[in-house]
Amino acid sequence: MAAPRPPRVVPGEASESDSEPELLVETAGEAPAAGLKVPGEASETEEEEEEEEEQQRPKTPPVLAEEPAAVWGGGPSLLQQRLREGTGRLRGAVGSALRQSYGSAARSLGGLEGALGRAQVTAAAAAHCLRLARRDLRAVADTIDIVTACRLLPDIRGQL
């Protein structure tokens, strides 16, 4: 009868708490496989899950937005042509929208400038009319002062 071998601890696995016994796996003289998954065990962190998913995904080289012409043996690819065309159309549309916006704003400012000019002319005319009216009122007030101060005229106050 063979002597019982002591159970081995799976590398990288630890108990969830101090009260939980260590997870042991019996192996028949073989070293435990690295990265061995034990059924029923969950990852301790989300990072471990993400690392496992990344390891299972096939490695693909990154795709560049614009490949050099030497790699493709000539001119740009169809995707690059379409991207350039789309970029050109987008630039044209943005430029057109800006031109329309600026043109509309310029027309509005021109209209406001004309209205402001007319308002200034009207205000100047009103100010001139007020100056004339004030001059005429001062002239009338001076005439009244002369008439009331004159002693040569008969006194009409007593006869009323």
Side-chain angles (χ1 to χ4, degrees), residues 3-69:
R5 299 197 106 194
R8 294 187 183 212
V9 176
V10 176
E13 292 291 325
S15 61
E16 297 284 326
S17 66
D18 291 338
S19 63
E20 183 178 321
E22 297 265 340
L23 179 63
L24 302 175
V25 175
E26 299 244 359
T27 58
E30 299 174 6
L36 177 67
K37 286 200 126 195
V38 178
E41 276 296 310
S43 302
E44 291 184 16
T45 63
E46 290 180 11
E47 291 174 359
E48 289 179 13
E49 291 175 1
E50 291 172 1
E51 288 175 7
E52 289 175 8
E53 288 176 4
E54 287 179 12
Q55 289 173 357
Q56 292 175 358
R57 286 189 212 138
K59 300 290 182 186
T60 57
V63 177
L64 299 176
E66 209 170 290
E67 294 289 332

Side-chain angles (χ1 to χ4, degrees), residues 131-151:
R131 279 193 300 275
L132 292 177
R134 187 181 313 151
R135 187 189 69 191
D136 290 345
L137 285 173
R138 283 187 184 148
V140 170
D142 289 341
T143 305
I144 291 174
D145 284 343
I146 291 172
V147 169
T148 54
C150 183
R151 303 269 176 214

